[in-house]
């Protein structure tokens, strides 16, 4: 095997290792949930903040500030599975009656609109 091929393999291995370390670092430094009961849907196909924390009994409000329809659809059992749809300028609410970690998505844009609510006792 030539020195050029060996050098190229080393470079590729280093690049792969750097990519793995970067991915692990991003996962390990994920932001903690924000203590709030309001989530905005700005003109960017996302929930802001993505992850929130509330106490049991809190009502969370999602407000669609985008120019397109969006929704909140819970993904965990025990909560309504039907999407809560919002036209531009509208809001939806949901009251969390028990502690847990609840994941949700926009059923119209699930590829990039996901969030979670951590409910504490």
């Amino acid at each position: 095997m030539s020195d050029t091929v060996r050098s190229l393999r080393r470079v590729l291995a280093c690049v792969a290792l750097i990519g793995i370390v970067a991915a692990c670092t991003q996962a390990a430094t994920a932001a903690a949930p924000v203590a709030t009961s309001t989530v905005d849907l700005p003109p960017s196909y996302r929930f802001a903040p993505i992850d929130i924390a509330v106490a049991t009994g809190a009502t969370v409000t999602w407000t669609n500030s985008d120019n397109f329809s969006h929704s909140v659809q819970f993904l965990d059992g025990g909560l309504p599975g039907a999407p809560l749809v919002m036209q531009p300028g509208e809001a939806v609410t949901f009251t969390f009656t028990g502690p847990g970690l609840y994941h949700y998505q926009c059923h119209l844009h699930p590829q990039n609109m996901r969030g979670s609510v951590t409910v504490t006792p």
Side-chain angles (χ1 to χ4, degrees):
M1 186 177 334
S2 73
D3 288 339
T4 304
V5 171
R6 275 188 231 131
S7 294
L8 182 57
R9 283 186 176 177
R10 286 184 186 131
V11 168
L12 291 175
C14 288
V15 169
L17 182 60
I18 290 169
I20 292 169
V21 170
C24 292
T25 302
Q26 285 178 342
T29 60
V34 176
T36 184
S37 61
T38 59
V39 178
D40 188 36
L41 286 72
S44 60
Y45 289 94
R46 66 184 176 94
F47 294 105
I50 296 170
D51 302 308
I52 67 168
V54 297
T56 299
T59 299
V60 175
T61 302
W62 290 267
T63 303
N64 184 0
S65 300
D66 201 350
N67 298 314
F68 304 97
S69 297
H70 294 295
S71 73
V72 172
Q73 180 183 35
F74 296 108
L75 303 174
D76 303 300
L79 297 180
L84 306 171
V85 179
M86 297 167 279
Q87 301 302 318
E90 292 181 342
V92 297
T93 62
F94 186 80
T95 302
F96 290 88
T97 59
L101 174 60
Y102 302 96
H103 297 91
Y104 63 89
Q105 68 180 6
C106 171
H107 86 289
L108 301 169
H109 311 103
Q111 66 279 7
N112 53 3
M113 292 186 73
R114 294 179 171 272
S116 70
V117 179
T118 300
V119 182
T120 58

